[in-house]
């Protein structure tokens, strides 16, 4: 709690839902950040330390990346970026395609989707919102309950509610699959504080897709990149080293190069 108070006090006037500080309770993560030239803030009575500045790429990296082969770590990092896109855009793309752009769906798949949606009284947008809200309720319930009980509630609740909703023709089976893939992809993101704004944006993109289709979704993604490009953490661009391109830092951005290729620390 004290660490969060410090973060709010140090936060500048940038209006954003994305975290501009990286907090962790792992000594190796904090030590690695200090070695990269970052500032570590320790708060008395808090198990978490704060690292600043924090950029977009930091929240998709994990300490385990440096304990494994650079080939495996690079593949896992690419997978995280793919899961990030799935978590944020998969339901919105499904809503946009089934609502406005049926001609972009292959004929066989379109016939299968039409057969599954037969008898469902709600449009795709309402389906997506119902399932996403239900899953968020199950997720928060699982976090607030004891660990053993919470896992059982999340798993059993998801299976029972999903199956019952399909059999009652409230939602289609494809929507349950899309929401399930989206939910699983959200757990791949290493930082919980970074996963929260992605979950919020998922609802926003679903609404945009329901109103404007793929075109509105494309504009929304561009606006998101513009917003991220305008953010700074302690004077460092949030999309660094991608937008503020630095060739010396590309060896530990998306891909993790071997240690022998790293001759300079991050600035």
């Amino acid at each position: 709690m004290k660490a969060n108070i410090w973060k709010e006090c140090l936060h500048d006037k940038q209006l954003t839902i994305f975290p501009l500080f990286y907090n962790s309770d792992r000594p190796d993560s904090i030590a690695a950040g200090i070695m990269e030239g970052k500032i570590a803030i320790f708060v008395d009575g808090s198990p978490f330390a704060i690292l600043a500045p924090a950029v977009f790429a930091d929240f998709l990296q994990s300490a385990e990346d440096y304990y494994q082969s650079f080939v495996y770590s690079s593949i896992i990092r690419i997978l995280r970026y793919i899961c990030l896109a799935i978590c944020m855009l998969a339901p919105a793309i499904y809503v946009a395609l089934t609502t406005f752009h049926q001609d972009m769906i292959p004929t066989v798949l379109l016939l299968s989707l039409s057969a599954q949606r037969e008898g469902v009284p709600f449009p795709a947008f309402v389906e997506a919102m119902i399932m996403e809200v239900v899953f968020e309720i199950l997720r928060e319930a699982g976090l607030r309950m004891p660990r053993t009980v919470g896992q059982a509630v999340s798993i059993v609740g998801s299976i029972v509610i999903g199956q019952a909703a399909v059999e009652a023709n409230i939602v289609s089976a494809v929507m349950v699959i899309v929401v399930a893939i989206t939910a699983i992809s959200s757990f791949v993101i290493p930082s919980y504080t970074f996963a929260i704004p992605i979950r919020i944006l998922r609802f926003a993109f679903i609404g945009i897709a329901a109103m404007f289709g793929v075109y509105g979704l494309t504009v929304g993604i561009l606006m998101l990149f513009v917003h991220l490009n305008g953010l700074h953490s302690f004077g460092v661009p949030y999309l660094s080293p991608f937008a503020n391109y630095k060739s010396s830092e590309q060896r530990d951005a998306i891909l993790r190069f071997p240690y022998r290729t790293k001759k300079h620390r991050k600035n």
Side-chain angles (χ1 to χ4, degrees):
M1 179 177 178
K2 292 182 179 180
N4 290 329
I5 295 175
W6 270 97
K7 284 196 296 184
E8 290 188 11
C9 294
L10 293 174
H11 203 287
D12 55 20
K13 296 182 180 179
Q14 299 178 92
L15 182 60
T16 181
I17 61 175
F18 287 90
L20 300 179
F21 299 91
Y22 185 87
N23 62 291
S24 176
D25 59 348
R26 297 190 54 162
D28 53 352
S29 298
I30 301 302
I34 295 175
M35 292 296 294
E36 292 176 356
K38 298 182 179 181
I39 302 171
I41 303 173
F42 297 89
V43 182
D44 185 25
S46 174
F48 295 93
I50 303 171
L51 276 180
V55 296
F56 182 88
D58 291 339
F59 298 98
L60 293 174
Q61 298 176 1
S62 175
E64 286 76 16
D65 296 345
Y66 302 94
Y67 298 129
Q68 301 164 351
S69 168
F70 69 94
V71 176
Y72 178 76
S73 298
S74 299
I75 294 174
I76 293 300
R77 285 188 181 181
I78 295 174
L79 180 63
R80 289 183 191 138
Y81 280 90
I82 295 174
C83 290
L84 173 67
I86 293 174
C87 176
M88 186 167 53
L89 299 175
I93 293 175
Y94 174 80
V95 170
L97 292 179
T98 55
T99 305
F100 294 100
H101 309 282
Q102 294 90 349
D103 53 335
M104 298 177 64
I105 305 175
T107 304
V108 177
L109 179 58
L110 181 60
L111 292 175
S112 176
L113 294 177
S114 300
Q116 293 181 29
R117 286 186 50 79
E118 186 177 0
V120 177
F122 303 112
F125 167 70
V126 178
E127 280 187 85
M129 294 300 293
I130 290 175
M131 293 306 300
E132 290 291 346
V133 170
V134 168
F135 178 77
E136 292 297 331
I137 292 173
L138 289 173
R139 184 206 297 262
E140 291 300 319
L143 291 175
R144 300 295 177 265
M145 299 178 70
R147 182 176 299 272
T148 54
V149 179
Q151 293 178 352
V153 169
S154 299
I155 296 173
V156 176
S158 301
I159 296 174
V160 171
I161 293 177
Q163 183 67 25
V166 172
E167 292 181 354
N169 286 332
I170 297 177
V171 297
S172 61
V174 178
M175 179 58 71
V176 175
I177 295 173
V178 172
V179 172
I181 294 175
T182 302
I184 295 172
S185 299
S186 66
F187 292 112
V188 179
I189 301 175
S191 174
Y192 178 76
T193 56
F194 189 75
I196 293 175
I198 301 302
R199 290 158 57 187
I200 296 174
L201 287 173
R202 183 165 67 240
F203 287 95
F205 280 128
I206 291 173
I208 293 174
M211 291 185 290
F212 305 107
V214 173
Y215 304 106
L217 195 58
T218 303
V219 174
I221 295 172
L222 291 176
M223 293 177 63
L224 174 62
F225 277 110
V226 171
H227 173 70
L228 292 174
N229 192 53
L231 294 178
H232 291 78
S233 177
F234 275 61
V236 177
Y238 198 62
L239 290 182
S240 177
F242 306 120
N244 187 18
Y245 185 81
K246 296 180 181 179
S247 59
S248 61
E249 296 184 9
Q250 299 305 316
R251 296 184 178 129
D252 194 23
I254 296 180
L255 303 179
R256 186 180 82 77
F257 281 52
Y259 290 115
R260 66 174 68 94
T261 62
K262 301 177 184 179
K263 299 181 181 179
H264 305 282
R265 76 176 186 180
K266 297 179 181 179
N267 294 324

